[in-house]
Amino acid sequence: MKKYNNLWAILVLAGIAGCSTPPPEPTPRLGLGVLDGTVEYEPVPADGLSLKMISNNTVYAGERTSICFALSNDSHLLVSIPEWYSNEPDNVIVYVQPWLTGMTEPDPDSWIELSFDLKTPILHYPLTLMPGNKVMVNKELEFIRMLHVSEGKMRRFFIKASLNLKSLQLTTEVTALQVLPRRKTGDQQ
């Protein structure tokens, strides 16, 4: 009889252990980003939003160069963009093409996307823009550092940018970027 009591106790313990509930899923806490590709974001209306290049459009060959873009909320309503990349430069893609002699406007089929690697881990945080506010994104133009422009000459490029978001499609106007010869050591600001 004692043998059956021990067996019965083992079966009850095994049954209780096997019926336990799994630990609860961790709940997202404020400050934790959302991993890229884990959420399908709803489209964000572009009404009242604009994307503009706000940097000086004259740069110097051979120098480290970054340009600044501003995403502005020009409406009277609050705008929330849940897909915003935590690494600010990842939110904008820059396109360029050489401005060749005789050109007055860019060739729509000749844009070159300036590739960059997204900073990992790729996380998204919500961005909320109040009416009249903007967020600025700086993008480095590596190719300017490698350019050589002869003294007294200049190179020009067409440049534009777009948001790197699936939920919000905005593109800047096409702008001219003028590249002057490398500044002499005493000329740098």
Side-chain angles (χ1 to χ4, degrees):
M1 189 55 115
K2 190 173 185 177
K3 183 169 149 183
Y4 290 113
N5 285 341
N6 288 341
L7 182 60
W8 180 251
I10 291 171
L11 288 174
V12 168
L13 285 176
I16 291 172
C19 293
S20 66
T21 59
E25 289 290 319
T27 55
R29 294 179 306 188
L30 211 53
L32 293 179
V34 176
L35 282 173
D36 193 46
T38 59
V39 174
E40 187 72 30
Y41 294 99
E42 293 291 321
V44 175
D47 302 337
L49 296 175
S50 63
L51 182 64
K52 297 176 183 166
M53 184 175 118
I54 59 172
S55 294
N56 186 339
N57 63 347
T58 300
V59 297
Y60 295 90
E63 294 183 8
R64 184 177 181 164
T65 302
S66 65
I67 53 177
C68 187
F69 297 93
L71 172 62
S72 303
N73 180 1
D74 303 319
S75 75
H76 63 281
L77 300 172
L78 175 135
V79 175
S80 182
I81 305 168
E83 187 185 2
W84 197 252
Y85 286 94
S86 62
N87 184 41
E88 293 283 335
D90 294 346
N91 290 290
V92 174
I93 299 173
V94 177
Y95 302 88
V96 297
Q97 69 174 274
W99 186 327
L100 303 174
T101 305
M103 291 178 82
T104 56
E105 59 186 49
D107 178 353
D109 299 323
S110 297
W111 288 106
I112 301 165
E113 180 181 327
L114 298 182
S115 63
F116 62 96
D117 294 326
L118 296 177
K119 184 177 178 185
T120 55
I122 302 170
L123 297 175
H124 297 279
Y125 289 87
L127 171 71
T128 301
L129 283 176
M130 300 298 287
N133 280 352
K134 62 180 84 174
V135 61
M136 289 177 249
V137 178
N138 288 309
K139 291 292 287 188
E140 195 156 328
L141 301 179
E142 289 288 332
F143 78 98
I144 300 294
R145 189 183 322 183
M146 296 178 259
L147 276 180
H148 176 77
V149 177
S150 300
E151 196 64 40
K153 304 282 184 182
M154 75 169 164
R155 305 249 336 244
R156 293 190 305 176
F157 294 87
F158 293 108
I159 187 167
K160 70 176 182 176
S162 64
L163 289 178
N164 186 26
L165 306 175
K166 294 178 182 134
S167 61
L168 179 59
Q169 305 295 310
L170 281 176
T171 301
T172 64
E173 292 181 3
V174 175
T175 306
L177 184 68
Q178 179 176 283
V179 184
L180 298 177
R182 182 182 204 113
R183 291 186 274 196
K184 294 181 175 66
T185 307
D187 295 343
Q188 295 192 12
Q189 298 172 350

